[in-house]
Amino acid sequence: MPAQPSTRIALRGDLLDLVADPGFDPGTAGMPPAGVRWRPDHWLLVEDGRIVGTRPGDDPPDDGWERHDHAGKLITPGLTDTHVHSPQIDVIGSYGTQLLDWLETYTFPAERRHAEPAYAVPAAAHFLDALLAHGTTSAVVFPTVHPGSVDALFEAGRARGMRLVAGKILMDRHAPDDLRDDVEQAERDCVDLIERWHGQGRLSYAVTPRFAPTSSDAQLAMAGRLCAAFDGLYMQTHVAENRDEVRWVAELFPDARSYLDVYARHGLLGARSVLAHGIWLDDDDRRALAQAGAQVAHCPSSNLFLGSGLFDWRQAADAGVAVSLASDVGGGTSLSMLRAMADAYKVQAMAGTRLPAWQALWACTHGAARALGLSHEFGHLSDGTLADLAVWDWATGPVARRRDALADDLHQRLFAFMTLGDERNLAATWVAGRPAYVRRGETA
């Protein structure tokens, strides 16, 4: 991780973050629910990369602070994407297939190219710069089966000071020959990568079976052994995304009670497990997730684009399951977490639930950090946390600006920002107190 800046930094703007889960309560007119922290026109003070306090906008800090005046702009914690595929940025917006066909037609050809360091290294840098240009400062990432793709991603993340969770994809069956590994070599590769990268700066390793069909029982058991052998590892995979996939898993693992149970049986369900999608789960599955402390990474854009189904967020939350938000690019059609928030609202509306903007923001800031066990580090604008920040225009373009001007309260304003905004609203991104992206024509 780069050395933290020694200068004192002060950023002025409208500070909005969440200090507790707001649930599904939109609040009353003019009164946000408990957990919402709103400090309009304040200076956020950052020293040595960490937040050290705030003060009112009309009371600027002295000349010992490097001041960045964004009065009238919104400042939030940097956003967190809990499920995204770095190589699939190359196939985003591809036409016409469902999940299993998508893998064969688009995903596997894209991932094959990352076998070569000459391709993987610049691709990883491009991917992380794209995240930063969308206001995303932390991510849980699938690279490829190639160890070199993990090295490239972690090296690029370390250079940028980002919080990344990632690991080599495990696939020893039902995949092209040149993308399959075997249990013994995969274990050696994982151990080598863990020893090289896990816990280095803001980098954490995730044991990463792609999904149950592409790993044998032996490989899933090996993945479980790795999780038990090394402190602080994460586990990431997919679960119950598509009905055809669920049926396939039932055929491949006839002794398992459910798709989720396949992972539980192999020691892959725990507090550091990030399971993408989770659309076709039952009550027993939700209880198991809640008891384990695992999280579901909800991927609304991808679920809509691939026609996978509609995740019931409220049902999961009522069962005690932590839900975070994710882009799932390339099945998802944007790296913007604002687009994911807007799509999540639409998915929940189809299920008869209205998703408040507070809960959507929670799920890709403090809620995501808490589900990852990292809320001491990022996700909110509290003293002592690293200054991972996003600076936004509340509105861009004549329609959004008019809507913003007519908003009656803070929730209306945030909801309009969420539904009408995207990366074009982003003025600057900061990572650990350092500017990591600045829009052309802006100052950090």
Side-chain angles (χ1 to χ4, degrees):
M1 180 176 174
Q4 297 296 339
S6 59
T7 55
R8 293 175 167 183
I9 306 294
L11 293 92
R12 184 182 186 182
D14 297 333
L15 309 183
L16 178 62
D17 66 336
L18 294 112
V19 295
D21 187 344
F24 283 74
D25 177 11
T28 57
M31 183 62 67
V36 176
R37 182 163 53 182
W38 169 235
R39 292 170 286 185
D41 192 20
H42 269 62
W43 291 95
L44 184 71
L45 307 180
V46 178
E47 188 169 4
D48 294 332
R50 293 188 180 272
I51 295 170
V52 294
T54 62
R55 59 196 304 161
D58 60 2
D59 181 22
D62 62 33
D63 291 342
W65 296 80
E66 181 184 303
R67 293 192 291 264
H68 299 259
D69 193 337
H70 297 293
K73 286 183 165 59
L74 172 66
I75 299 179
T76 69
L79 305 182
T80 298
D81 187 341
T82 55
H83 180 71
V84 59
H85 296 257
S86 54
Q88 290 188 32
I89 196 171
D90 291 349
V91 297
I92 190 172
S94 296
Y95 174 77
T97 63
Q98 291 191 344
L99 171 63
L100 300 181
D101 291 334
W102 174 273
L103 292 173
E104 295 289 344
T105 306
Y106 299 119
T107 298
F108 291 152
E111 293 187 1
R112 188 174 287 120
R113 294 194 287 268
H114 289 256
E116 296 299 328
Y119 191 92
V121 170
H126 174 75
F127 168 74
L128 293 184
D129 287 341
L131 287 183
L132 293 167
H134 287 74
T136 296
T137 53
S138 303
V140 182
V141 186
F142 272 59
T144 73
V145 71
H146 313 102
S149 76
V150 186
D151 286 326
L153 183 69
F154 277 146
E155 186 59 58
R158 179 168 62 181
R160 289 156 179 78
M162 297 175 71
R163 163 54 71 177
L164 293 182
V165 176
K168 168 192 145 50
I169 289 179
L170 301 174
M171 292 193 296
D172 69 343
R173 64 175 181 172
H174 300 140
D177 290 346
D178 55 354
L179 290 177
R180 285 201 306 269
D181 52 20
D182 62 70
V183 176
E184 292 76 16
Q185 185 61 51
E187 184 170 16
R188 288 193 293 270
D189 289 341
C190 287
V191 169
D192 181 56
L193 289 164
I194 290 165
E195 292 177 344
R196 184 156 61 251
W197 293 111
H198 184 58
Q200 297 297 311
R202 302 183 72 187
L203 308 175
S204 294
Y205 195 85
V207 177
T208 308
R210 171 168 238 114
F211 66 154
T214 50
S215 286
S216 64
D217 276 297
Q219 187 170 71
L220 292 171
M222 179 272 288
R225 291 195 302 272
L226 285 176
C227 289
F230 293 89
D231 290 339
L233 291 188
Y234 290 87
M235 194 288 298
Q236 61 173 343
T237 191
H238 302 79
V239 68
E241 178 179 357
N242 173 285
R243 281 177 288 191
D244 288 341
E245 169 208 14
V246 172
R247 284 191 286 269
W248 191 21
V249 170
E251 294 169 1
L252 293 171
F253 299 93
D255 294 334
R257 191 202 66 80
S258 68
Y259 192 156
L260 183 72
D261 187 49
V262 174
Y263 300 129
R265 286 167 173 245
H266 290 95
L268 296 172
L269 190 62
R272 290 178 175 265
S273 299
V274 184
L275 298 115
H277 306 293
I279 299 168
W280 304 103
L281 300 174
D282 61 22
D283 289 343
D284 288 341
D285 291 328
R286 283 183 281 273
R287 279 192 291 271
L289 286 166
Q291 289 169 3
Q295 66 175 294
V296 170
H298 175 32
C299 308
S301 175
S302 172
N303 298 160
L304 292 169
F305 187 72
L306 297 179
S308 300
L310 304 174
F311 173 72
D312 193 325
W313 190 334
R314 187 63 180 266
Q315 191 177 42
D318 287 347
V321 178
V323 178
S324 56
L325 266 177
S327 70
D328 193 26
V329 163
T333 54
S334 175
L335 287 173
S336 171
M337 295 307 294
L338 297 188
R339 301 268 39 84
M341 292 162 70
D343 284 341
Y345 177 84
K346 298 166 192 173
V347 167
Q348 298 317 304
M350 291 294 292
T353 295
R354 300 298 168 180
L355 178 69
W358 316 120
Q359 181 61 214
L361 184 61
W362 166 262
C364 56
T365 56
H366 196 166
R370 189 171 76 173
L372 292 168
L374 295 170
S375 60
H376 61 284
E377 179 185 319
F378 66 94
H380 47 111
L381 307 179
S382 300
D383 291 1
T385 58
L386 286 170
D388 292 351
L389 311 169
V391 182
W392 310 89
D393 292 326
W394 274 102
T396 60
V399 173
R401 283 196 292 268
R402 181 171 176 83
R403 180 68 188 90
D404 178 62
L406 294 172
D408 291 332
D409 59 31
L410 182 59
H411 186 261
Q412 283 193 20
R413 200 175 189 199
L414 182 64
F415 186 78
F417 168 74
M418 172 182 107
T419 55
L420 302 177
D422 56 28
E423 68 274 16
R424 289 169 292 187
N425 293 64
L426 184 68
T429 305
W430 292 71
V431 173
R434 299 163 61 93
Y437 164 80
V438 182
R439 186 172 60 194
R440 184 175 297 178
E442 293 280 344
T443 58

